Amino acid sequence: MWVRSTMVYRTSFLLTALGNFATTALDFVAILLMFSHVEALGGFGFAEVALLYGTSATAFGLAHLLLGGMDGLGARVRRGSLDGMLVRPVPLLAQVAADGFKLRRIGRLAQGLLVLGWSLAVLEAEWTPLTVLMVPVAVVSGAAIFGALLVAGGSFQFWAQDAAEVQNSFTYGGTTLLQYPPTVFARELVAGTVFVVPLAFVNWLPVLFVLGRDDPLGLPGWVDFLSPLVAVVCWVPAGLVWRAGLGSYRSAGS
């Protein structure tokens, strides 16, 4: 329904999608400006950083396209308009995810895919069947990890009601963090993205394997292949938090 209503106004859709594309592209422009002054960032060349950027932006763009409706859960709780969803014979999580579906978010996804495609075309890496397979696996697993964070962050709104910025710090902030090489950050921060909030499995560890580089923490090589498993594990606490948050919800009586 949301897609059909969006396509009624095709010009508006194209303009908003282009605006979304241009807005998110500014992050890559910042990287371009950095490389106009330096030849490497944390030991990584421009094409290598573009690969990090492309995988992170594509994974988040895919998750945000499918689950971006979680951003508005807090507003629905405050307005009491969530009650109407609870009486419909459709799982609430699916309704919230599709609520106000914004097809223009495809602009962020397209921009990430464009950079990812360019980086893969120019990158001088030793391509093997395993490294080639690692790229799409990392993107899909990364989208699932970001999706779990969106659900967990949205669930937090059942209690906080107006703390979307906390959720954004892990999702929008996370994708920005992952656009840069892990070698430019403190070792403690990198460890936090592996053992606390496993953002490193979105692209840092898989891309380091593709590039044939060691990770800053000296982890065993098999850890680079854990992204799909980590993505599945991330959905367990996300589902539990969602159920706990929904159980604590008190109807507004509307």
Side-chain angles (χ1 to χ4, degrees):
M1 180 184 71
W2 294 107
V3 175
R4 194 182 307 138
S5 63
T6 299
M7 296 312 291
V8 169
Y9 305 98
R10 295 176 187 273
T11 303
S12 175
F13 160 68
L14 289 174
L15 290 175
T16 53
L18 284 173
N20 191 267
F21 181 99
T23 301
T24 55
L26 290 177
D27 290 339
F28 192 64
V29 171
I31 294 174
L32 276 170
L33 291 175
M34 288 183 194
F35 274 92
S36 67
H37 297 282
V38 299
E39 294 184 354
L41 189 62
F44 285 66
F46 181 56
E48 294 172 318
V49 174
L51 179 60
L52 286 169
Y53 178 96
T55 48
S56 173
T58 303
F60 182 70
L62 186 58
H64 199 238
L65 177 67
L66 299 176
L67 292 165
M70 301 301 296
D71 292 343
L73 181 58
R76 277 197 171 271
V77 171
R78 293 195 302 277
R79 293 197 305 263
S81 59
L82 191 68
D83 295 10
M85 289 183 167
L86 292 172
V87 298
R88 296 173 187 163
V90 178
L92 182 63
L93 179 58
Q95 292 186 64
V96 173
D99 184 35
F101 182 75
K102 295 179 176 61
L103 193 58
R104 68 170 182 267
R105 292 179 184 138
I106 203 169
R108 175 188 291 273
L109 177 61
Q111 190 262 339
L113 281 170
L114 185 65
V115 175
L116 176 59
W118 177 83
S119 66
L120 292 174
V122 301
L123 193 65
E124 296 180 357
E126 187 177 342
W127 293 109
T128 66
L130 196 55
T131 55
V132 170
L133 181 63
M134 183 66 91
V135 175
V137 169
V139 170
V140 174
S141 302
I145 293 172
F146 274 128
L149 289 176
L150 285 168
V151 171
S155 305
F156 181 59
Q157 304 306 315
F158 282 116
W159 295 286
Q161 300 185 5
D162 190 18
E165 294 306 319
V166 176
Q167 171 188 340
N168 294 343
S169 66
F170 290 98
T171 52
Y172 291 94
T175 189
T176 302
L177 175 78
L178 297 175
Q179 291 166 3
Y180 296 90
T183 49
V184 303
F185 298 105
R187 182 183 174 88
E188 291 77 10
L189 177 61
V190 177
T193 64
V194 174
F195 300 110
V196 183
V197 182
L199 290 170
F201 292 91
V202 171
N203 70 340
W204 273 354
L205 293 173
V207 168
L208 288 176
F209 172 78
V210 171
L211 298 177
R213 291 173 176 267
D214 297 327
D215 70 81
L217 301 179
L219 298 170
W222 54 266
V223 176
D224 299 341
F225 300 90
L226 292 183
S227 294
L229 178 61
V230 170
V232 173
V233 171
C234 282
W235 274 93
V236 175
L240 293 175
V241 173
W242 171 261
R243 290 178 66 86
L246 183 57
S248 70
Y249 175 67
R250 294 293 178 268
S251 169
S254 57

